[in-house]
């Protein structure tokens, strides 16, 4: 059995790490978990989506989970939010719908991105000053 590689976050960093892990180890069992609906997404395109130039949010994603799985043999779970990492037993726990799913890892990569900040300048808290990030969720 190959190494079990678990990647938390399927954005640019997570998807690149997953692809690299596959190139380095053809035998590895690679699982990528993302709490949102898309992987390998391009947040730099969000202004075009808001402006109506890009019509569908999924067009900002370079790969679908299915393509990623087929072309790279990487298991992708969307709508899978990791809420606990047990480093002693090398396990992560993800919430997938109403279920909690446990993933054992030999290698864990955390690629959960960053949070936007507002600048410490006058007017940063005025109405209409917003931050932007790519976290599209399924509505329950
Ligand atoms: C408007 C805008 C324009 C930009 N323009 C450019 C540009 O022109 N050039 C450039 O180089 N960069 C640009 N960037 C920055 C670039 O988009 C980011 O650097 C890049 O997306 C970071 O990728 P990442 O994978 O680290 O994080 P993210 O893209 O934030 O991905 C993190 C992923 O982790 C998932 N996640 C988080 N927590 C959990 C959890 N607990 N369980 C499971 N999944 C989780 C999230 O759902 C997300 O999919 C821009 C960003 C924005 C917002």
């Amino acid at each position: 059995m190959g190494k079990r590689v678990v990647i938390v976050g399927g954005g640019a960093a997570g998807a690149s790490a997953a692809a690299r892990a596959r190139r380095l180890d053809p035998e590895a069992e690679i699982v990528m978990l993302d709490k949102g609906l898309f992987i390998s997404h391009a947040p730099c395109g969000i202004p075009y989506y808001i402006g109506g130039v890009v019509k569908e949010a999924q067009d900002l994603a370079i790969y679908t989970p299915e393509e990623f799985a087929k072309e790279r043999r990487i298991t992708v779970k969307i709508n899978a939010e990791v809420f606990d990492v047990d480093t002693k037993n090398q396990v992560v726990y993800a919430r997938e719908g109403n279920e909690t799913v446990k993933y054992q890892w030999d290698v864990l990569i955390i690629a959960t991105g960053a949070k936007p900040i507002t600048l410490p300048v006058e007017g940063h808290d005025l109405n209409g000053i917003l931050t932007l990030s790519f976290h599209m969720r399924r509505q329950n």
Side-chain angles (χ1 to χ4, degrees):
M1 193 175 79
K3 267 192 189 144
R4 291 162 300 187
V5 179
V6 172
I7 299 159
V8 185
S16 304
R20 179 80 178 140
R22 169 55 70 227
R23 278 196 296 277
L24 290 174
D25 186 351
E27 304 304 320
E29 284 178 33
I30 306 173
V31 179
M32 187 165 77
L33 307 166
D34 199 289
K35 68 180 181 181
L37 296 181
F38 302 111
I39 59 155
S40 70
H41 44 69
C44 43
I46 300 172
Y48 298 97
Y49 175 63
I50 292 170
V53 177
V54 172
K55 300 288 177 218
E56 303 293 338
Q58 70 234 30
D59 291 342
L60 298 177
I62 296 155
Y63 288 99
T64 63
E66 293 74 22
E67 286 167 335
F68 218 74
K70 195 170 164 212
E71 291 172 19
R72 299 190 161 88
R73 291 180 296 112
I74 291 166
T75 304
V76 177
K77 298 284 187 79
I78 54 169
N79 223 17
E81 179 165 15
V82 171
F83 64 91
D84 196 14
V85 178
D86 177 348
T87 52
K88 189 163 169 254
N89 295 305
Q90 304 197 173
V91 169
V92 297
Y93 294 90
R95 209 170 281 119
E96 298 181 16
N98 296 326
E99 274 181 69
T100 293
V101 184
K102 186 175 159 180
Y103 295 91
Q104 191 84 42
W105 46 270
D106 300 305
V107 176
L108 176 67
I109 298 171
I110 298 182
T112 48
K115 285 192 182 138
I117 57 163
T118 51
L119 296 176
V121 296
E122 195 183 328
H124 72 90
D125 53 354
L126 290 174
N127 271 345
I129 306 289
L130 306 169
T131 60
L132 192 59
S133 57
F134 200 115
H135 293 299
M136 193 162 283
R137 308 292 293 275
R138 181 165 289 142
Q139 289 184 329
N140 294 318

